[in-house]
Amino acid sequence: MTALTPLRTIPQGNLFRQGDVFVLFGELFGRGYANGLINEARKAGMTIIGVTVGRRDENNALRALTDEELAVAEANLGGRIINVPLMAGFDLDAPAGELTPTDMIADMSLKSWQTDKLDWAHIEKCREVGVSRFKNSVAQVMAELDRRIPDGSNVFFAHTMAGGIPKVKVFLAIANRIYKGRGERFMSTRALLDSDLGKLILKNFDEVTANTFQYLIEGSAAIRARVEQTGGQVRYTAYGYHGTEILLDGEYQWQTYTSYTQGQAKMRLERIAEAAWEQGVKATVYNCPEIRTNSSDIFVGVELSLFPLLFALRKECDGPWVEAQWQACRELLQEGTSLEALLQRIDDYNANDVMKSFRNYAAWPMDNSEALANLMIGTSEEITQMHKDRKALVTDHLSALVLEGTGPLMFRETSQPSAPVLWLSHDIIAKQLCLLHA
Ligand SMILES: NC(=O)c1ccc[n+]([C@@H]2O[C@H](COP(=O)([O-])OP(=O)(O)OC[C@H]3O[C@@H](n4cnc5c(N)ncnc54)[C@H](O)[C@@H]3O)[C@@H](O)[C@H]2O)c1
């Protein structure tokens, strides 16, 4: 188990400058964490280079972006994109002419999936095909990058990849129950993890969320060697999740979203950074707070830990800017609903014994329970209803603040990173936001 090692002081390092190269290893979406780093790279005048995961054609074959898609993606990134599909995972890979894992689970039904068995020898062959496809694509990307990275420049590789849920109808229905179901629709994560389907999904999570970081570090070894020989330095970052310290009862305390089925993959990601670090490679996983993005919206209740950020801001730097954040949140609530009443609801939720029983770092990631699902999903729904508009939530505002705070923290700490695994919790994020605004 990794020791809990939160970043406690605002980093002062500043390695990166005009002409250095920032490589985003994953695609950029509107609300995604990577925007925090991209903003810093842009401010520093770095050359920004991105990649794509590619797209699937009507036969599910992986293809590069069309000229039009490429132009849109490059405008969004503010940099060139190397157009080689880097879709990770093996859910749609197989030896030529054979069934893919997605084909193998396509016939599972809501009635049968818990007892349906998979041919693991065949799955392993598919995994090997997927890994070798991905590594070959990384090699092509690196060959192209090598041409674009000048001798002696500093290079920042930012890994953002996470995912791996196969696209089959039955899993949509299961996911709706595991991540959103309560009462009669509740389903335990244990049921999923004990099934062959669940085991397959965890293997795919490992590939997408963790192993891609390893393939990035290995695949860029030649670039690293050349840059370092010519006076530059190379850094790697990845986004982890392993719970977050938030302000509860006046103290920063560790808590987590449950059920985080990607937890094992995120711990594997931490071990990859630790192993690279031991080899002298500066790779750091930053375990970041729960925010709402395209990827996290499926996890109903994940956003509840964001509200105490308002208290953290008051604790770290009360003043007009913090008051303006409170006010911006107030304005999103229905007439007659106070922010104080909402925050009281969150306090009660966090003080509940059911929630407390999940604040167990050593046991992470724990399975969910029906009591947890009822409480968390119920609270999430109640809080959403306190808003004027379900599409403009306090947690949108707070997510944007967290994202903004992580940018400079990660960018500066990575100049001279102190460890392979660091937590960015609400304390340091509030301190960083105060420094930026207050
Ligand atoms: N949102 C949160 O609450 C939260 C908290 C802590 C850490 N993170 C991590 O931050 C990182 C960015 O996520 P985000 O929440 O900003 O969402 P996002 O949707 O903006 O980013 C997800 C990333 O994963 C990539 N991706 C998805 N499936 C892929 C596949 N099969 N192959 C290759 N790449 C794939 C996408 O291209 C994108 O870059 C992830 O590693 C995520 O786990 C998120």
Side-chain angles (χ1 to χ4, degrees):
M1 185 183 63
T2 318
L4 183 59
T5 46
L7 185 70
R8 292 291 186 216
T9 48
I10 303 276
Q12 304 295 339
N14 196 0
L15 173 68
F16 302 99
R17 50 178 196 259
Q18 181 106 26
D20 286 344
V21 181
F22 180 92
V23 181
L24 185 67
F25 201 69
E27 293 194 359
L28 184 66
F29 299 123
R31 299 177 293 163
Y33 256 125
N35 288 284
L37 275 179
I38 291 278
N39 291 343
E40 297 305 310
R42 209 172 276 146
K43 276 192 247 161
M46 294 177 80
T47 304
I48 296 172
I49 301 179
V51 302
T52 176
V53 302
R55 299 291 176 265
R56 298 265 173 204
D57 70 13
E58 56 284 2
N59 300 317
N60 268 336
L62 199 53
R63 63 161 175 83
L65 301 180
T66 63
D67 289 349
E68 202 179 321
E69 289 164 343
L70 184 62
V72 171
E74 290 188 335
N76 178 40
L77 179 71
R80 300 305 299 272
I81 284 176
I82 298 175
N83 195 6
V84 175
L86 278 182
M87 184 78 74
F90 58 95
D91 42 311
L92 282 164
D93 288 284
E98 297 185 32
L99 294 181
T100 67
T102 300
D103 296 327
M104 294 164 76
I105 57 179
D107 292 335
M108 289 186 179
S109 71
L110 260 186
K111 281 215 177 81
S112 73
W113 69 271
Q114 293 195 54
T115 47
D116 283 334
K117 295 293 168 212
L118 290 170
D119 172 350
W120 290 105
H122 185 69
I123 299 266
E124 182 53 24
K125 280 199 267 168
C126 297
R127 197 187 68 82
E128 282 163 13
V129 171
V131 170
S132 127
R133 170 187 57 75
F134 187 84
K135 285 185 173 179
N136 286 335
S137 302
V138 169
Q140 287 178 53
V141 168
M142 292 302 157
E144 181 63 40
L145 263 180
D146 195 35
R147 284 191 277 280
R148 299 191 195 188
I149 295 178
D151 279 350
S153 56
N154 300 307
V155 187
F156 191 130
F157 285 103
H159 175 282
T160 89
M161 294 179 175
I165 292 182
K167 290 189 183 55
V168 285
K169 239 176 46 214
V170 69
F171 193 69
L172 267 183
I174 298 168
N176 271 330
R177 294 194 180 190
I178 297 230
Y179 303 119
K180 301 183 189 172
R182 57 186 160 129
E184 276 182 4
R185 293 184 57 76
F186 166 77
M187 183 173 280
S188 76
T189 20
R190 187 43 42 197
L192 177 66
L193 301 186
D194 283 344
S195 70
D196 272 17
L197 175 64
K199 292 186 176 115
L200 168 66
I201 291 173
L202 290 200
K203 272 184 190 287
N204 210 37
F205 284 165
D206 276 350
E207 277 306 323
V208 180
T209 301
N211 295 353
T212 49
F213 195 42
Q214 176 87 41
Y215 307 147
L216 165 65
I217 293 169
E218 285 167 4
S220 53
I223 293 180
R224 194 165 64 239
R226 172 175 65 82
V227 162
E228 286 175 354
Q229 273 158 20
T230 51
Q233 299 189 46
V234 179
R235 301 284 188 265
Y236 299 86
T237 65
Y239 293 93
Y241 177 71
H242 199 151
T244 307
E245 290 174 335
I246 66 172
L247 202 54
L248 298 173
D249 299 328
E251 257 175 75
Y252 288 107
Q253 294 185 45
W254 183 90
Q255 56 77 56
T256 178
Y257 165 77
T258 302
S259 144
Y260 191 62
T261 41
Q262 294 209 17
Q264 296 296 345
K266 285 297 190 194
M267 289 199 285
R268 176 186 281 258
L269 180 70
E270 292 173 352
R271 291 194 296 272
I272 289 170
E274 284 162 348
W277 189 272
E278 274 172 25
Q279 303 296 313
V281 177
K282 293 270 179 278
T284 303
V285 168
Y286 291 90
N287 288 327
C288 288
E290 307 78 0
I291 63 168
R292 294 190 39 243
T293 65
N294 289 5
S295 296
S296 68
D297 270 353
I298 173 179
F299 308 118
V300 178
V302 72
E303 78 288 355
L304 293 173
S305 59
L306 270 164
F307 292 97
L309 182 70
L310 285 166
F311 293 121
L313 290 173
R314 273 201 177 153
K315 182 180 162 90
E316 303 302 337
C317 65
D318 208 4
W321 180 77
V322 171
E323 189 41 44
Q325 304 319 300
W326 279 68
Q327 190 52 33
C329 295
R330 280 195 180 100
E331 281 161 19
L332 299 171
L333 302 180
Q334 296 222 9
E335 203 89 353
T337 302
S338 72
L339 186 55
E340 284 71 14
L342 183 156
L343 291 170
Q344 185 57 52
R345 193 68 202 74
I346 293 289
D347 271 354
D348 296 344
Y349 162 77
N350 282 317
N352 191 300
D353 284 342
V354 171
M355 289 317 295
K356 284 187 176 165
S357 69
F358 283 88
R359 276 182 225 138
N360 182 346
Y361 179 76
W364 192 87
M366 288 170 75
D367 297 333
N368 66 357
S369 70
E370 189 166 354
L372 170 83
N374 291 348
L375 179 64
M376 180 176 69
I377 297 164
T379 307
S380 174
E381 187 47 43
E382 232 179 85
I383 297 249
T384 302
Q385 279 170 5
M386 291 173 146
H387 291 74
K388 283 182 194 148
D389 178 355
R390 296 180 75 94
K391 293 207 172 69
L393 302 177
V394 168
T395 48
D396 291 317
H397 188 77
L398 298 178
S399 295
L401 286 178
V402 168
L403 188 158
E404 187 193 351
T406 58
L409 286 172
M410 287 176 67
F411 197 72
R412 293 201 162 236
E413 174 66 17
T414 300
S415 291
Q416 209 160 14
S418 55
V421 184
L422 290 168
W423 273 253
L424 303 181
S425 284
H426 279 196
D427 59 338
I428 197 80
I429 286 175
K431 285 193 176 93
Q432 177 68 68
L433 288 167
C434 290
L435 203 64
L436 288 170
H437 297 285

